[in-house]
Amino acid sequence: MARYMESLTIERGGFRIKVPESWWEFDVRPESRDDSIRRMVSERIAQQPELVKYKDTYTAFLRKASADAWKSGALYCGCMAESFGGDTPITGSITVSLVGGRTKDGAPLATDPQAVIERLAVREARKAGDAWRKVTTVDIPGVGQAARTYGIEDIPVPDDSLDRTVRAVLMQTFIPVPGQEGKVALVAGSSQVLDLADSFFDIFDAITSTFRFAE
């Protein structure tokens, strides 16, 4: 899966981040995202006609990713959907969201990495195939330390009456926002291709390392 890829710098209100040039950004707003996704999928298939058999898979993946991102307050959402010669495409996504929380007394939660780590739970796999989660800190050049979780997680399906979950490769990095008490920029990478977990951890780490707050 590893190969050289050019990067594209994404700039939004308050931050910038680099993603592989082949990744797609799409409008997550409910009133316009379906049209945006249809155009992007059509453009990609026009460039690579061999992907036409994956059209429905791409479209469904992008619609779900954009809907979930909108609900979580995402400021940016990008996805990859590539065929590397296998029977199914390799898919993954990165979102950047501004999130915050408060204590029971209404005070903003502390956002320094150690305080965030104390609120994050490690999960150990009891047997092969179980979900797991590790908690650590990372140093982002030009930004500083941030708390991070990564692992294979069972993610609840939003608004699902049966309380179903989706198992996915997931990395989340919580970056304190300067001058905004209780706020963090959450950079989250996910993929349902579990067999490529280590590769996706490398990709998500590399993308997150390019995050910068705009001056």
Side-chain angles (χ1 to χ4, degrees), residues 138-169:
V138 293
D139 188 67
I140 299 176
V143 175
Q145 278 208 331
R148 168 176 289 175
T149 66
Y150 67 96
I152 305 295
E153 304 227 25
D154 292 321
I155 305 171
V157 176
D159 303 322
D160 186 74
S161 60
L162 300 178
D163 295 326
R164 287 173 293 188
T165 60
V166 174
R167 183 158 289 187
V169 180

Side-chain angles (χ1 to χ4, degrees), residues 2-214:
R3 65 181 184 181
Y4 177 77
M5 291 181 289
E6 296 291 339
S7 64
L8 177 68
T9 299
I10 305 297
E11 295 193 26
R12 293 292 176 270
F15 75 90
R16 63 182 182 273
I17 193 169
K18 291 183 179 181
V19 299
E21 195 172 40
S22 61
W23 284 44
W24 299 348
E25 181 188 2
F26 49 90
D27 186 353
V28 298
R29 295 174 299 175
E31 66 272 19
S32 53
R33 63 189 177 216
D34 284 353
D35 285 342
S36 177
I37 289 169
R38 275 195 295 269
R39 287 196 301 272
M40 286 188 295
V41 171
S42 295
E43 289 172 2
R44 176 55 62 89
I45 290 175
Q47 295 168 359
Q48 297 178 270
E50 70 274 14
L51 299 180
V52 67
K53 61 183 178 181
Y54 300 126
K55 180 178 180 179
D56 291 343
T57 301
Y58 288 164
T59 301
F61 171 78
L62 291 169
R63 283 178 175 171
K64 183 180 185 309
S66 62
D68 291 349
W70 173 259
K71 291 177 183 177
S72 70
L75 301 175
Y76 166 78
C77 184
C79 286
M80 66 163 286
E82 299 284 349
S83 173
F84 292 89
D87 293 333
T88 58
I90 305 300
T91 57
S93 67
I94 282 279
T95 61
V96 180
S97 307
L98 183 65
V99 299
R102 294 184 177 273
T103 66
K104 293 180 180 179
D105 298 328
L109 290 172
T111 59
D112 64 276
Q114 291 304 317
V116 175
I117 280 178
E118 291 175 1
R119 300 194 298 268
L120 300 172
V122 173
R123 180 173 181 176
E124 300 290 345
R126 296 184 178 180
K127 63 181 185 301
D130 281 356
W132 57 272
R133 180 195 304 129
K134 294 186 181 295
V135 179
T136 186
T137 59
V138 293
D139 188 67
I140 299 176
V143 175
Q145 278 208 331
R148 168 176 289 175
T149 66
Y150 67 96
I152 305 295
E153 304 227 25
D154 292 321
I155 305 171
V157 176
D159 303 322
D160 186 74
S161 60
L162 300 178
D163 295 326
R164 287 173 293 188
T165 60
V166 174
R167 183 158 289 187
V169 180
L170 181 64
M171 176 180 286
Q172 299 184 97
T173 306
F174 303 80
I175 306 169
V177 179
Q180 295 196 37
E181 192 176 18
K183 296 290 186 180
V184 297
L186 173 59
V187 182
S190 67
S191 172
Q192 293 181 34
V193 187
L194 305 185
D195 290 342
L196 295 177
D198 288 341
S199 294
F200 272 111
F201 289 144
D202 289 342
I203 291 171
F204 298 151
D205 176 67
I207 293 173
T208 304
S209 72
T210 70
F211 181 93
R212 301 290 185 274
F213 289 107

